[in-house]
């Protein structure tokens, strides 16, 4: 050992530390090592083994002072005294144990004075690798589950009504499916906005990637940002350790469907605009940005232009989103689609509900079809689907007649006939209630449905907001 350049403190240790203490010191080190260590001298006698070596190989310390070859005839370590070559990763297996060994000569002044063997247990490694395999399988299962959860179901072919008012929308959808440009879909509730979003995704080259729907109106606005963009480790109290991936990241390489975008808060709209421009997101509480390739399809039942005027929606975001816009007309404006929709629904409702003894082919009485084609369908295709599901359950035979439809929608129809045929006159109270109900609906249509708009509607009706809510509940008005 060259001591010339050592600091005083360490030099003293070497010169003043008694030799036997130094040996104890080295022994203690070897004993505290987490790998098994066995040392032989130049004649092949075992000079040292540490407890970990016993633990891993089962060889006990009473071997010390004995010739290794006598104990373990197959041992390779003594060969090293001769050939001076290291062995790395030698695999050993006994009944109960499995381990790998590295071996090396100990050389001083070019003389082999012994050899050292260092071993690692494989049982532990095995256990870990088994565990890892199990975790990997679980991860795969979860991934498959997530993939199937986030798959778009519909295709453009399944959109009924291509000969009617949807022709234009379907045509545009086909043309733009493979572009990366954002799409804005507008239309009343139940017109098929989500259906279109799914079909566009499935028509695009992203179809095997995730389709992630997000209802911006259903997630409290304080949470929406971290839901969309995720958050970093320790972003806030109660935040999950290691952070959380956001929906945008989940949609990477696929499509994110931002439903009810008109309800997104003004602040968050600015952040969304940045994502659209930069194609990067930043998790809440993190500074670094992550690049993403996500197609954005947004939808709303609101009049965004109106919201822009009222400064509830950012103009810059509106123009950015509105590059490609699909307007889905309400069902009452495409009555020519109604019969096609009904027949397609009857076919699928037999499959879906698998009603026992349900007829193969339903027919619809002329009167019923006329009624359904005349009805206004405020809930659009969604309402039509519910009515048809209900009617096919109620029909006793193969024919769906008007009395099989929900009373809610036929009430007026029957009233009309009854008052004509059997002169059943509505009581004054009923007539007043009906007028009141219709008047409230008309007013809400004029003002809108969010809280501020309802306040204004109540004011215009000359009643308090609480009274308005009571009446909405009493008349079952869903607005
Ligand atoms: N053109 C259509 N052809 C077939 N089914 C439709 C059509 N439009 C809507 N639907 C059905 O109506 C229901 C409501 O559609 P959805 O896309 O959720 O409407 P929105 O998102 O506009 O509220 C869904 O069950 C959908 O499958
Ligand atoms: Mg919807």
């Amino acid at each position: 050992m060259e001591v010339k350049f050592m600091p005083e403190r360490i030099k003293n240790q070497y010169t003043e530390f008694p030799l036997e203490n130094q040996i104890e010191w080295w022994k203690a080190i070897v004993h505290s090592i987490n790998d098994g260590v066995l040392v032989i001298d130049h004649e092949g006698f075992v000079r040292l083994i540490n407890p970990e070596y016993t633990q891993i190989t089962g060889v006990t310390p009473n071997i010390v002072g004995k010739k290794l070859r006598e104990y373990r005839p197959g041992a390779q370590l003594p060969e090293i005294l001769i050939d001076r070559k290291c062995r790395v990763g030698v695999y050993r297996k006994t009944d109960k144990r499995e381990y790998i060994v590295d071996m090396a000569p100990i050389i001083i002044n070019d003389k082999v004075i012994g050899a050292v063997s260092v071993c690692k247990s494989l049982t532990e490694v095995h256990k870990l690798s088994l565990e890892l395999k199990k975790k990997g399988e679980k991860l795969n299962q979860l991934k498959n589950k997530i993939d199937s959860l986030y798959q778009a179901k519909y295709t453009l072919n399944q959109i009924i009504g291509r000969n009617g008012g949807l022709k234009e929308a379907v045509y545009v959808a086909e043309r733009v499916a493979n572009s990366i440009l954002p799409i804005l879909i507008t239309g009343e509730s139940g017109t098929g906005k989500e259906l279109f979003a799914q079909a566009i995704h499935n028509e695009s080259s992203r179809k095997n990637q995730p389709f992630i729907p997000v209802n911006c109106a259903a997630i409290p606005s304080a949470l929406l940002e971290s839901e969309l963009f995720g958050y970093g480790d320790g972003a806030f109290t109660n935040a999950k350790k290691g952070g959380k991936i956001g929906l945008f990241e989940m949609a990477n390489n696929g499509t994110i469907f931002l439903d009810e975008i008109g309800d997104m808060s003004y602040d968050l709209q600015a952040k969304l605009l940045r994502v659209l421009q930069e194609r990067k997101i930043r998790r809440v509480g993190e500074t670094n940005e992550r690049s993403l390739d996500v197609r954005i399809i947004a939808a709303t039942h609101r009049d965004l232009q109106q919201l822009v005027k009222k400064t509830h929606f950012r103009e810059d975001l509106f123009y950015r989103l509105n590059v490609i816009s699909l307007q889905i007309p309400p069902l009452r404006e495409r009555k020519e689609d109604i019969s096609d929709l009904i027949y397609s629904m009857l076919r699928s409702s037999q499959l879906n509900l698998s009603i026992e003894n349900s007829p193969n082919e339903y027919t619809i009485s002329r009167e019923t079809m006329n009624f359904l084609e005349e009805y206004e369908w405020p809930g659009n295709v969604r309402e039509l689907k519910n009515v048809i599901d209900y009617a096919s359950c109620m029909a006793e035979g193969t024919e769906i007649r008007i009395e099989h439809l929900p009373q809610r929608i036929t009430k007026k129809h029957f009233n009309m006939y009854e008052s004509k045929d059997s002169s059943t006159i509505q009581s004054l109270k009923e007539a007043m209630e009906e007028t009141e109900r219709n008047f409230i609906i008309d007013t809400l249509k004029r003002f809108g449905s969010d809280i501020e708009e309802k306040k204004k509607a109540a004011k215009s009706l000359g009643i308090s907001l609480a009274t308005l809510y009571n009446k909405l509940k009493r008349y079952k008005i869903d607005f």
Side-chain angles (χ1 to χ4, degrees):
M1 176 77 55
E2 182 67 80
V3 290
K4 212 166 32 187
F5 302 113
M6 278 191 181
E8 265 325 284
R9 190 173 54 81
I10 296 182
K11 213 193 292 181
N12 291 344
Q13 258 185 22
Y14 275 92
T15 48
E16 290 163 17
F17 211 31
L19 192 63
E20 37 311 351
N21 281 4
Q22 283 191 39
I23 291 171
E24 286 309 310
W25 194 55
W26 288 111
K27 261 192 186 167
I29 291 175
V30 172
H31 278 238
S32 67
I33 290 175
N34 233 350
D35 294 333
V37 177
L38 177 141
V39 181
I40 55 172
D41 64 16
H42 67 290
E43 290 177 309
F45 286 95
V46 178
R47 297 296 290 265
L48 186 137
I49 82 170
N50 72 353
E52 193 65 22
Y53 194 89
T54 307
Q55 180 84 12
I56 294 171
T57 65
V59 172
T60 49
N62 58 17
I63 194 178
V64 174
K66 309 212 166 101
K67 253 203 151 133
L68 181 63
R69 267 277 156 78
E70 279 163 23
Y71 254 77
R72 315 195 99 198
Q76 285 184 32
L77 199 59
E79 288 169 19
I80 293 182
L81 299 172
I82 301 156
D83 67 20
R84 297 173 155 231
K85 281 194 188 124
C86 292
R87 319 276 199 269
V88 177
V90 178
Y91 175 75
R92 290 256 191 255
K93 188 172 178 272
T94 64
D95 315 344
K96 286 187 237 143
R97 301 161 199 275
E98 235 181 323
Y99 52 95
I100 43 172
V101 192
D102 294 343
M103 287 166 272
I106 308 170
I107 299 172
I108 291 182
N109 293 335
D110 205 32
K111 258 182 79 183
V112 180
I113 61 140
V116 58
S117 152
V118 176
C119 65
K120 276 190 175 54
S121 169
L122 267 187
T123 341
E124 197 60 17
V125 177
H126 242 153
K127 253 203 272 167
L128 285 177
S129 85
L130 262 181
E131 216 163 277
L132 210 63
K133 207 173 138 205
K134 263 196 219 149
K135 290 252 157 77
E137 278 163 11
K138 181 101 200 176
L139 208 66
N140 254 343
Q141 279 173 3
L142 284 175
K143 193 180 171 308
N144 288 342
K145 229 183 219 169
I146 287 175
D147 284 352
S148 65
L149 271 178
Y150 290 121
Q151 238 163 31
K153 277 192 302 201
Y154 293 104
T155 60
L156 281 176
N157 295 335
Q158 284 164 291
I159 296 181
I160 312 284
R162 296 150 146 269
N163 298 322
L166 284 190
K167 215 177 356 193
E168 173 75 16
V170 174
Y171 174 75
V172 176
E174 262 166 2
R175 297 295 298 266
V176 300
N178 264 319
S179 131
I180 180 74
L181 291 171
I183 299 181
L184 179 63
I185 306 177
T186 52
E188 288 177 13
S189 176
T191 47
K193 297 184 293 295
E194 178 151 7
L195 176 90
F196 264 88
Q198 292 195 15
I200 291 169
H201 173 81
N202 270 340
E203 188 74 15
S204 76
S205 53
R206 298 169 181 263
K207 65 165 176 261
N208 295 322
Q209 302 294 333
F211 173 88
I212 311 272
V214 190
N215 188 334
C216 301
I219 303 174
S221 60
L223 285 184
L224 190 56
E225 180 179 0
S226 64
E227 284 295 315
L228 287 178
F229 304 132
Y231 56 76
D233 201 5
F236 32 77
T237 31
N238 293 336
K240 252 196 230 158
K241 205 170 162 6
K244 193 181 126 168
I245 183 174
L247 295 165
F248 263 92
E249 277 179 77
M250 268 166 86
N252 199 13
N253 299 317
T255 305
I256 193 162
F257 174 54
L258 299 175
D259 202 2
E260 302 304 355
I261 187 109
D263 294 75
M264 187 180 272
S265 76
Y266 205 72
D267 287 347
L268 199 50
Q269 288 171 26
K271 292 183 176 154
L272 178 62
L273 181 66
R274 275 204 63 234
V275 176
L276 277 163
Q277 283 164 345
E278 320 269 316
R279 315 221 130 266
K280 281 180 190 156
I281 59 122
R282 190 185 303 145
R283 288 188 181 183
V284 176
E286 276 187 359
T287 47
N288 60 317
E289 296 195 308
R290 296 159 194 255
S291 294
L292 291 181
D293 169 23
V294 176
R295 213 272 170 87
I296 296 178
I297 303 183
T300 179
H301 72 282
R302 290 167 176 261
D303 182 345
L304 279 192
Q305 237 156 344
Q306 206 54 37
L307 290 183
V308 169
K309 266 192 206 142
K310 289 200 268 176
T311 64
H312 288 172
F313 202 82
R314 297 184 66 102
E315 193 171 15
D316 41 12
L317 179 61
F318 173 69
Y319 286 117
R320 188 84 198 186
L321 283 176
N322 202 31
V323 182
I324 299 168
S325 73
L326 293 185
Q327 279 123 26
I328 318 289
L331 194 52
R332 65 182 167 279
E333 284 173 22
R334 47 184 169 112
K335 291 191 161 166
E336 64 273 41
D337 291 345
I338 290 178
S339 68
D340 282 353
L341 278 165
I342 290 174
Y343 284 114
S344 143
M345 285 167 181
L346 280 176
R347 279 193 301 274
S348 67
S349 89
Q350 284 161 46
L351 296 176
N352 291 343
L353 299 175
S354 49
I355 308 160
E356 251 178 79
N357 305 324
S358 75
N360 288 329
E361 201 69 51
Y362 281 101
T363 56
I364 296 199
S365 73
R366 192 61 251 164
E367 182 198 23
T368 313
M369 189 56 98
N370 286 345
F371 173 82
L372 293 173
E373 282 176 339
E374 280 316 305
Y375 182 69
E376 285 292 290
W377 298 110
N380 293 294
V381 186
R382 182 177 293 115
E383 184 183 11
L384 176 63
K385 189 166 176 351
N386 291 342
V387 165
I388 296 303
D389 281 346
Y390 177 88
S392 55
C393 265
M394 298 310 277
E396 293 109 22
T398 61
E399 192 187 47
I400 293 179
R401 292 193 305 274
I402 203 137
E403 62 265 31
H404 301 137
L405 302 180
Q407 273 183 7
R408 176 179 62 80
I409 74 163
T410 52
K411 207 168 148 215
K412 254 192 184 163
H413 180 80
F414 284 124
N415 279 346
M416 203 167 78
Y417 282 106
E418 276 166 13
S419 43
K420 243 194 242 156
D421 297 349
S422 55
S423 60
T424 327
I425 296 165
Q426 255 184 327
S427 74
L428 178 62
K429 187 162 174 276
E430 276 170 357
M432 276 166 59
E433 278 178 354
E434 191 174 324
T435 312
E436 185 176 57
R437 185 176 191 277
N438 289 337
F439 196 70
I440 290 172
I441 292 175
D442 288 345
T443 312
L444 283 174
K445 274 190 185 155
R446 201 143 52 84
F447 283 94
S449 63
D450 75 19
I451 181 93
E452 282 308 313
E453 292 162 344
K454 279 198 181 112
K455 271 188 200 158
K456 285 184 195 150
K459 199 167 169 213
S460 132
L461 288 167
I463 54 177
S464 73
L465 185 64
T467 311
L468 176 62
Y469 272 111
N470 281 335
K471 287 189 190 294
L472 293 184
K473 204 164 144 196
R474 177 153 142 239
Y475 293 132
K476 296 195 170 71
I477 301 173
D478 193 14
F479 220 92

mmCIF file of all heavy atoms in Angstrom, residues 154 158-161 166 188-196 259 334 341 345 381-382 385, ligand 1:
data_model
loop_
_atom_site.group_PDB
_atom_site.id
_atom_site.type_symbol
_atom_site.label_atom_id
_atom_site.label_comp_id
_atom_site.label_asym_id
_atom_site.label_seq_id
_atom_site.Cartn_x
_atom_site.Cartn_y
_atom_site.Cartn_z
ATOM 1 N N TYR A 154 -69.469 2.628 -32.883
ATOM 2 C CA TYR A 154 -70.208 2.852 -34.128
ATOM 3 C C TYR A 154 -69.321 3.148 -35.327
ATOM 4 O O TYR A 154 -68.230 3.685 -35.205
ATOM 5 C CB TYR A 154 -71.167 4.030 -33.945
ATOM 6 C CG TYR A 154 -72.261 3.742 -32.972
ATOM 7 C CD1 TYR A 154 -72.223 4.270 -31.686
ATOM 8 C CD2 TYR A 154 -73.344 2.944 -33.332
ATOM 9 C CE1 TYR A 154 -73.240 4.006 -30.771
ATOM 10 C CE2 TYR A 154 -74.359 2.671 -32.432
ATOM 11 C CZ TYR A 154 -74.305 3.202 -31.150
ATOM 12 O OH TYR A 154 -75.297 2.938 -30.258
ATOM 13 N N GLN A 158 -73.393 2.610 -39.783
ATOM 14 C CA GLN A 158 -74.501 2.377 -38.858
ATOM 15 C C GLN A 158 -75.336 3.620 -38.617
ATOM 16 O O GLN A 158 -76.308 3.561 -37.887
ATOM 17 C CB GLN A 158 -73.954 1.853 -37.532
ATOM 18 C CG GLN A 158 -73.538 0.408 -37.620
ATOM 19 C CD GLN A 158 -72.651 0.039 -36.456
ATOM 20 O OE1 GLN A 158 -71.508 0.493 -36.339
ATOM 21 N NE2 GLN A 158 -73.160 -0.777 -35.567
ATOM 22 N N ILE A 159 -74.929 4.724 -39.206
ATOM 23 C CA ILE A 159 -75.725 5.941 -39.025
ATOM 24 C C ILE A 159 -76.901 5.885 -39.993
ATOM 25 O O ILE A 159 -76.725 5.851 -41.201
ATOM 26 C CB ILE A 159 -74.867 7.192 -39.254
ATOM 27 C CG1 ILE A 159 -73.771 7.243 -38.180
ATOM 28 C CG2 ILE A 159 -75.720 8.443 -39.232
ATOM 29 C CD1 ILE A 159 -72.869 8.433 -38.259
ATOM 30 N N ILE A 160 -78.098 5.844 -39.411
ATOM 31 C CA ILE A 160 -79.301 5.717 -40.232
ATOM 32 C C ILE A 160 -79.764 7.119 -40.630
ATOM 33 O O ILE A 160 -79.650 8.058 -39.851
ATOM 34 C CB ILE A 160 -80.422 5.034 -39.419
ATOM 35 C CG1 ILE A 160 -79.908 3.781 -38.727
ATOM 36 C CG2 ILE A 160 -81.633 4.760 -40.303
ATOM 37 C CD1 ILE A 160 -79.733 2.597 -39.603
ATOM 38 N N GLY A 161 -80.281 7.206 -41.833
ATOM 39 C CA GLY A 161 -80.857 8.484 -42.246
ATOM 40 C C GLY A 161 -79.960 9.207 -43.221
ATOM 41 O O GLY A 161 -80.004 10.434 -43.323
ATOM 42 N N LEU A 166 -79.266 13.951 -42.884
ATOM 43 C CA LEU A 166 -77.919 13.712 -42.372
ATOM 44 C C LEU A 166 -76.889 13.563 -43.479
ATOM 45 O O LEU A 166 -75.700 13.457 -43.207
ATOM 46 C CB LEU A 166 -77.888 12.431 -41.532
ATOM 47 C CG LEU A 166 -78.477 12.518 -40.144
ATOM 48 C CD1 LEU A 166 -78.145 11.275 -39.368
ATOM 49 C CD2 LEU A 166 -77.938 13.740 -39.415
ATOM 50 N N GLU A 188 -78.886 19.364 -31.081
ATOM 51 C CA GLU A 188 -79.614 19.194 -29.823
ATOM 52 C C GLU A 188 -79.237 17.866 -29.178
ATOM 53 O O GLU A 188 -78.664 16.989 -29.839
ATOM 54 C CB GLU A 188 -81.126 19.181 -30.114
ATOM 55 C CG GLU A 188 -81.660 20.528 -30.490
ATOM 56 C CD GLU A 188 -83.150 20.483 -30.848
ATOM 57 O OE1 GLU A 188 -83.814 19.459 -30.559
ATOM 58 O OE2 GLU A 188 -83.623 21.463 -31.424
ATOM 59 N N SER A 189 -79.614 17.740 -27.915
ATOM 60 C CA SER A 189 -79.329 16.508 -27.193
ATOM 61 C C SER A 189 -80.062 15.339 -27.866
ATOM 62 O O SER A 189 -81.211 15.464 -28.260
ATOM 63 C CB SER A 189 -79.791 16.692 -25.758
ATOM 64 O OG SER A 189 -79.617 15.511 -25.077
ATOM 65 N N GLY A 190 -79.376 14.223 -28.018
ATOM 66 C CA GLY A 190 -79.999 13.018 -28.579
ATOM 67 C C GLY A 190 -80.010 12.953 -30.094
ATOM 68 O O GLY A 190 -80.602 12.050 -30.680
ATOM 69 N N THR A 191 -79.332 13.890 -30.755
ATOM 70 C CA THR A 191 -79.347 13.884 -32.221
ATOM 71 C C THR A 191 -78.292 12.928 -32.798
ATOM 72 O O THR A 191 -78.330 12.631 -33.983
ATOM 73 C CB THR A 191 -79.087 15.286 -32.803
ATOM 74 O OG1 THR A 191 -77.971 15.847 -32.132
ATOM 75 C CG2 THR A 191 -80.298 16.184 -32.648
ATOM 76 N N GLY A 192 -77.342 12.502 -31.983
ATOM 77 C CA GLY A 192 -76.344 11.547 -32.481
ATOM 78 C C GLY A 192 -74.943 12.130 -32.559
ATOM 79 O O GLY A 192 -74.119 11.671 -33.340
ATOM 80 N N LYS A 193 -74.656 13.123 -31.714
ATOM 81 C CA LYS A 193 -73.331 13.758 -31.781
ATOM 82 C C LYS A 193 -72.219 12.763 -31.418
ATOM 83 O O LYS A 193 -71.200 12.668 -32.093
ATOM 84 C CB LYS A 193 -73.274 14.990 -30.849
ATOM 85 C CG LYS A 193 -74.253 16.080 -31.243
ATOM 86 C CD LYS A 193 -74.118 17.314 -30.396
ATOM 87 C CE LYS A 193 -74.509 17.104 -28.947
ATOM 88 N NZ LYS A 193 -75.962 16.769 -28.777
ATOM 89 N N GLU A 194 -72.454 12.019 -30.322
ATOM 90 C CA GLU A 194 -71.426 11.064 -29.907
ATOM 91 C C GLU A 194 -71.285 9.933 -30.926
ATOM 92 O O GLU A 194 -70.179 9.444 -31.196
ATOM 93 C CB GLU A 194 -71.757 10.498 -28.520
ATOM 94 C CG GLU A 194 -70.735 9.474 -28.082
ATOM 95 C CD GLU A 194 -70.551 9.386 -26.576
ATOM 96 O OE1 GLU A 194 -71.317 10.039 -25.846
ATOM 97 O OE2 GLU A 194 -69.636 8.660 -26.154
ATOM 98 N N LEU A 195 -72.438 9.547 -31.503
ATOM 99 C CA LEU A 195 -72.432 8.520 -32.543
ATOM 100 C C LEU A 195 -71.510 8.943 -33.695
ATOM 101 O O LEU A 195 -70.686 8.172 -34.179
ATOM 102 C CB LEU A 195 -73.872 8.374 -33.029
ATOM 103 C CG LEU A 195 -74.202 7.460 -34.169
ATOM 104 C CD1 LEU A 195 -74.499 6.083 -33.604
ATOM 105 C CD2 LEU A 195 -75.425 7.957 -34.915
ATOM 106 N N PHE A 196 -71.631 10.199 -34.097
ATOM 107 C CA PHE A 196 -70.784 10.717 -35.170
ATOM 108 C C PHE A 196 -69.315 10.720 -34.758
ATOM 109 O O PHE A 196 -68.448 10.335 -35.533
ATOM 110 C CB PHE A 196 -71.208 12.139 -35.568
ATOM 111 C CG PHE A 196 -72.120 12.155 -36.759
ATOM 112 C CD1 PHE A 196 -73.493 12.043 -36.601
ATOM 113 C CD2 PHE A 196 -71.616 12.251 -38.048
ATOM 114 C CE1 PHE A 196 -74.338 12.027 -37.697
ATOM 115 C CE2 PHE A 196 -72.450 12.240 -39.147
ATOM 116 C CZ PHE A 196 -73.820 12.132 -38.973
ATOM 117 N N ASP A 259 -67.228 16.232 -24.918
ATOM 118 C CA ASP A 259 -68.660 16.456 -25.038
ATOM 119 C C ASP A 259 -69.052 17.636 -24.145
ATOM 120 O O ASP A 259 -68.459 17.842 -23.094
ATOM 121 C CB ASP A 259 -69.382 15.173 -24.592
ATOM 122 C CG ASP A 259 -70.780 15.099 -25.168
ATOM 123 O OD1 ASP A 259 -71.173 16.011 -25.927
ATOM 124 O OD2 ASP A 259 -71.490 14.117 -24.859
ATOM 125 N N ARG A 334 -85.997 16.300 -39.931
ATOM 126 C CA ARG A 334 -85.665 15.247 -40.907
ATOM 127 C C ARG A 334 -86.599 14.063 -40.712
ATOM 128 O O ARG A 334 -86.187 12.944 -40.449
ATOM 129 C CB ARG A 334 -84.194 14.838 -40.807
ATOM 130 C CG ARG A 334 -83.722 14.589 -39.397
ATOM 131 C CD ARG A 334 -82.229 14.281 -39.384
ATOM 132 N NE ARG A 334 -81.701 14.286 -38.048
ATOM 133 C CZ ARG A 334 -81.263 13.206 -37.402
ATOM 134 N NH1 ARG A 334 -81.290 12.044 -37.953
ATOM 135 N NH2 ARG A 334 -80.793 13.318 -36.180
ATOM 136 N N LEU A 341 -85.226 4.789 -39.192
ATOM 137 C CA LEU A 341 -84.689 4.656 -37.829
ATOM 138 C C LEU A 341 -85.513 3.636 -37.047
ATOM 139 O O LEU A 341 -84.958 2.768 -36.374
ATOM 140 C CB LEU A 341 -84.719 6.008 -37.107
ATOM 141 C CG LEU A 341 -83.559 6.957 -37.415
ATOM 142 C CD1 LEU A 341 -83.886 8.375 -36.941
ATOM 143 C CD2 LEU A 341 -82.269 6.480 -36.739
ATOM 144 N N MET A 345 -84.221 0.214 -35.441
ATOM 145 C CA MET A 345 -84.279 0.041 -33.980
ATOM 146 C C MET A 345 -85.049 -1.214 -33.599
ATOM 147 O O MET A 345 -84.688 -1.908 -32.654
ATOM 148 C CB MET A 345 -84.953 1.254 -33.344
ATOM 149 C CG MET A 345 -84.060 2.467 -33.299
ATOM 150 S SD MET A 345 -85.029 3.914 -32.895
ATOM 151 C CE MET A 345 -83.742 5.149 -32.960
ATOM 152 N N VAL A 381 -83.319 11.422 -31.477
ATOM 153 C CA VAL A 381 -83.239 9.976 -31.744
ATOM 154 C C VAL A 381 -83.205 9.182 -30.440
ATOM 155 O O VAL A 381 -83.720 8.071 -30.361
ATOM 156 C CB VAL A 381 -82.003 9.645 -32.616
ATOM 157 C CG1 VAL A 381 -82.019 8.177 -33.011
ATOM 158 C CG2 VAL A 381 -81.979 10.521 -33.848
ATOM 159 N N ARG A 382 -82.601 9.775 -29.390
ATOM 160 C CA ARG A 382 -82.548 9.051 -28.118
ATOM 161 C C ARG A 382 -83.966 8.778 -27.626
ATOM 162 O O ARG A 382 -84.285 7.672 -27.179
ATOM 163 C CB ARG A 382 -81.755 9.844 -27.079
ATOM 164 C CG ARG A 382 -81.644 9.090 -25.759
ATOM 165 C CD ARG A 382 -80.808 9.789 -24.716
ATOM 166 N NE ARG A 382 -79.402 9.851 -25.087
ATOM 167 C CZ ARG A 382 -78.768 10.994 -25.344
ATOM 168 N NH1 ARG A 382 -79.406 12.142 -25.257
ATOM 169 N NH2 ARG A 382 -77.501 10.969 -25.666
ATOM 170 N N LYS A 385 -85.655 6.113 -29.696
ATOM 171 C CA LYS A 385 -85.177 4.771 -29.363
ATOM 172 C C LYS A 385 -85.864 4.250 -28.095
ATOM 173 O O LYS A 385 -86.292 3.100 -28.048
ATOM 174 C CB LYS A 385 -83.657 4.805 -29.179
ATOM 175 C CG LYS A 385 -83.037 3.449 -29.056
ATOM 176 C CD LYS A 385 -81.540 3.545 -29.222
ATOM 177 C CE LYS A 385 -80.806 2.241 -29.014
ATOM 178 N NZ LYS A 385 -81.521 1.111 -28.504
HETATM 179 N N1 LIG B 1 -78.626 8.589 -37.185
HETATM 180 C C1 LIG B 1 -78.681 7.663 -36.228
HETATM 181 N N2 LIG B 1 -78.747 6.365 -36.546
HETATM 182 C C2 LIG B 1 -78.820 5.427 -35.593
HETATM 183 N N3 LIG B 1 -78.832 5.671 -34.285
HETATM 184 C C3 LIG B 1 -78.765 6.948 -33.896
HETATM 185 C C4 LIG B 1 -78.671 8.022 -34.845
HETATM 186 N N4 LIG B 1 -78.602 9.183 -34.179
HETATM 187 C C5 LIG B 1 -78.647 8.855 -32.875
HETATM 188 N N5 LIG B 1 -78.748 7.535 -32.689
HETATM 189 C C6 LIG B 1 -78.847 6.832 -31.398
HETATM 190 O O1 LIG B 1 -79.456 7.748 -30.483
HETATM 191 C C7 LIG B 1 -78.863 7.702 -29.201
HETATM 192 C C8 LIG B 1 -78.333 9.073 -28.812
HETATM 193 O O2 LIG B 1 -77.213 9.410 -29.614
HETATM 194 P P1 LIG B 1 -75.973 10.247 -29.055
HETATM 195 O O3 LIG B 1 -74.914 10.151 -30.055
HETATM 196 O O4 LIG B 1 -75.671 9.826 -27.671
HETATM 197 O O5 LIG B 1 -76.624 11.708 -29.036
HETATM 198 P P2 LIG B 1 -76.013 13.077 -28.472
HETATM 199 O O6 LIG B 1 -74.581 12.848 -28.165
HETATM 200 O O7 LIG B 1 -76.240 14.062 -29.553
HETATM 201 O O8 LIG B 1 -76.822 13.406 -27.243
HETATM 202 C C9 LIG B 1 -77.797 6.647 -29.285
HETATM 203 O O9 LIG B 1 -78.333 5.433 -28.806
HETATM 204 C C10 LIG B 1 -77.497 6.547 -30.759
HETATM 205 O O10 LIG B 1 -77.054 5.274 -31.083
#
